[in-house]
Amino acid sequence: MTENTSGGAPEPPKSPRGPEPSGVDLARVALRAAKDAARARGDAAQQKKQARRGGLRSGARADGRDPMALGSAINRLITERGWEAPAAVGGVMGRWPQIVGEDVAKHCVPERYDEDERVLTVRCDSTAWATNLRLLAPTLVARLNEDLGHGTVKLIKVQGPGGPARRYGPLRAPGSTGPGDTYG
């Protein structure tokens, strides 16, 4: 409570929200609410009438049932399903040479992206390029996050070249999968 130093009656506490709405303002709010409710009832009645006449169909005004361009339909699907990050990373895999440079792109190829761990796996064609990419990984992570959004890629996992499949013994039967195929 505030004190009045002039000796008169104490002042009433001021409302933190500002002035209370007057009767005219309350009437405007009530009228707007009534118009919105009437419009909603009219739309519902119109839809019932259309359903009785043979189903809902698109009229002169645009609505959600109208055809749309393929690009906007795909963007809507990506947004509805929450596929923004995987779609963006897929775009990075398509633009890999522009992001890392032509020399690196000739020897290193992105293989997969783990959305849960936010790890991009890259395979290199030689151990020298794998070592080079491991040294460039922090810079590439920063560049990818700048392009995709902060935190999309936390780590780049670099793999060296894959060796040929190991064969057991000098002689192999056609169609065999190795020494374990006789055990069922």
Side-chain angles (χ1 to χ4, degrees):
M1 188 163 155
T2 60
E3 292 184 13
N4 191 348
T5 56
S6 62
E11 294 178 9
K14 293 183 179 179
S15 172
R17 286 186 267 145
E20 292 292 324
S22 66
V24 175
D25 294 331
L26 291 174
R28 284 187 187 134
V29 170
L31 179 62
R32 188 177 311 124
K35 283 183 178 181
D36 290 343
R39 190 174 299 119
R41 280 194 310 270
D43 289 345
Q46 184 70 19
Q47 286 179 354
K48 277 185 184 178
K49 206 182 288 186
Q50 284 181 347
R52 276 183 285 176
R53 278 191 272 150
L56 296 172
R57 56 186 174 268
S58 180
R61 294 186 192 103
D63 63 4
R65 297 169 288 150
D66 288 338
M68 62 175 57
L70 180 63
S72 60
I74 289 174
N75 288 337
R76 181 173 156 190
L77 178 69
I78 287 171
T79 304
E80 287 175 355
R81 302 285 171 110
W83 295 339
E84 289 92 358
V89 171
V92 163
M93 291 186 179
R95 293 181 290 120
W96 184 251
Q98 289 86 17
I99 293 172
V100 298
E102 293 294 328
D103 292 337
V104 176
K106 288 178 189 175
H107 301 283
C108 304
V109 178
E111 284 193 336
R112 66 182 166 271
Y113 174 71
D114 186 2
E115 187 178 359
D116 297 330
E117 296 180 18
R118 299 178 189 253
V119 174
L120 179 66
T121 305
V122 179
R123 173 141 341 251
C124 298
D125 62 358
S126 71
T127 54
W129 277 103
T131 303
N132 189 17
L133 196 67
R134 283 187 190 101
L135 293 173
L136 291 174
T139 307
L140 288 177
V141 168
R143 192 179 300 167
L144 289 169
N145 284 331
E146 182 180 304
D147 191 34
L148 300 173
H150 182 67
T152 305
V153 178
K154 290 185 179 179
L155 177 71
I156 293 180
K157 185 177 178 182
V158 181
Q159 296 180 339
R166 182 154 185 212
R167 303 194 135 179
Y168 298 97
L171 301 175
R172 292 182 46 89
S176 100
T177 59
D181 67 347
T182 58
Y183 301 111

